[in-house]
Amino acid sequence: PHYVRAGGFLDRMEWFDAGFFGYTPREAELMDPQQRLFLETAYASLETAGIDPSCYAGLVGVYAGCTMNTYMRQVLSNPELEAAAGALQLLISSDKDFLPMRVSYKLNLQGPSVNVQTACSTSLVAIHMACRSLLEGECDVALAGGVSIGVPRVSGYSYTEQGILSPDGHCRTFDARGAGTVGGEGVGVVVLKRLDEALRDGDPVRAVIRGTAINNDGADKVGFTAPSVGHQAEVIALAQSVADVEASSIGYVEAHGTATSLGDPIEMEALNLVFGEGDYQTASCALGSVKSNMGHLDAAAGVAGLMKTVLMLEHAEIPPSLHYEEANPEIDFAS
């Protein structure tokens, strides 16, 4: 009775051009689909950016992470496949630690290759680390992102009270009926470069990251999975300081926005601490969350939000956050 038939799933996640990347069908069969699709997406991202790794003279870094590998259960359920492959090949094909290294190896990228694992913030932390790597001269171009794909393919989830998943399969961010998010799958990679060099080289600059910041709540919150108002506000203010951007000049915030009864009000309170002081009170700022449109992509959630925001800037249009009808009573939008 508590099963909800809803979720965001990638089509044809099992498709992979093994031969193009020099893999045999057996090697591809062993490999976590997250690693397959991330490799393809990384290649496509460089291609879109006009960077040919076979002749690019600079150092290209990779910063990325993925969700827990659930495909491994399928492989281990086939004793013949396991016996034919051997323990080492199974490990290399499945362990999340090898996600960025696989890209670096197959595309011959010789900058830093760093696995990032920080749960839902994985891909944004990867982008932060990639930016720092560029600023410190560790690489000349950086790929950053994340991927989340689940196996076996099931069409929903079991709802439990006090969890983070929605009871009816809709993610109603900041809405009075918001009771949780919906699971989703995705893969995203951004290609980053120092702005002056990108302009010098005539690269297609789609957006500029002015500044990034990270922190942690420590023990200053009500529980391990609960966010802290004060420390969220601190990291937002720090990012603005690093970027040299006034809060009053910001016209849009892409929120985490999981539509949970606890998380949304805390996120809004943190934003208000930063945006709601002094002269900023007269300014207005749009707010949204891509999770209402495609679900929570876990390790790829942050890069999805970044991509949405870049597309908004390109098209000068804010896409609607779905299912919002009446404000969450715990959030005082009027002030």
Side-chain angles (χ1 to χ4, degrees), residues 62-86:
V62 184
Y63 293 82
C66 63
T67 303
M68 181 177 67
N69 177 9
T70 54
Y71 180 73
M72 187 67 173
R73 302 171 191 163
Q74 307 283 84
V75 175
L76 293 177
S77 67
N78 187 334
E80 294 180 4
L81 188 62
E82 183 183 1

Side-chain angles (χ1 to χ4, degrees), residues 93-228:
S93 299
S94 61
D95 196 292
K96 62 185 182 298
D97 290 356
F98 299 110
L99 176 78
M101 194 189 306
R102 184 179 303 283
V103 173
S104 298
Y105 173 64
K106 281 297 178 179
L107 304 186
N108 192 28
L109 311 179
Q110 297 172 15
S113 193
V114 181
N115 179 57
V116 182
Q117 295 296 150
T118 61
C120 309
S121 63
T122 290
S123 55
L124 277 186
V125 172
I127 291 165
H128 167 80
M129 295 178 69
C131 289
R132 289 300 176 93
S133 182
L134 285 164
L135 293 173
E136 292 172 6
E138 293 178 332
C139 57
D140 304 293
V141 170
L143 301 179
V147 56
S148 180
I149 299 171
V151 176
R153 314 301 284 166
V154 293
S155 57
Y157 55 87
S158 181
Y159 168 73
T160 57
E161 288 191 22
Q162 307 303 319
I164 67 164
L165 294 174
S166 166
D168 64 0
H170 292 86
C171 180
R172 296 182 170 88
T173 305
F174 301 121
D175 188 80
R177 294 185 298 159
T181 190
V182 178
E185 295 182 333
V187 52
V189 178
V190 292
V191 181
L192 305 170
K193 195 172 181 179
R194 289 181 288 270
L195 179 60
D196 57 343
E197 294 174 13
L199 294 173
R200 178 200 66 193
D201 297 339
D203 293 327
V205 178
R206 304 186 66 172
V208 177
I209 296 176
R210 295 282 296 270
T212 68
I214 58 174
N215 74 350
N216 191 271
D217 296 328
D220 186 18
K221 51 187 178 179
V222 297
F224 181 67
T225 59
S228 160

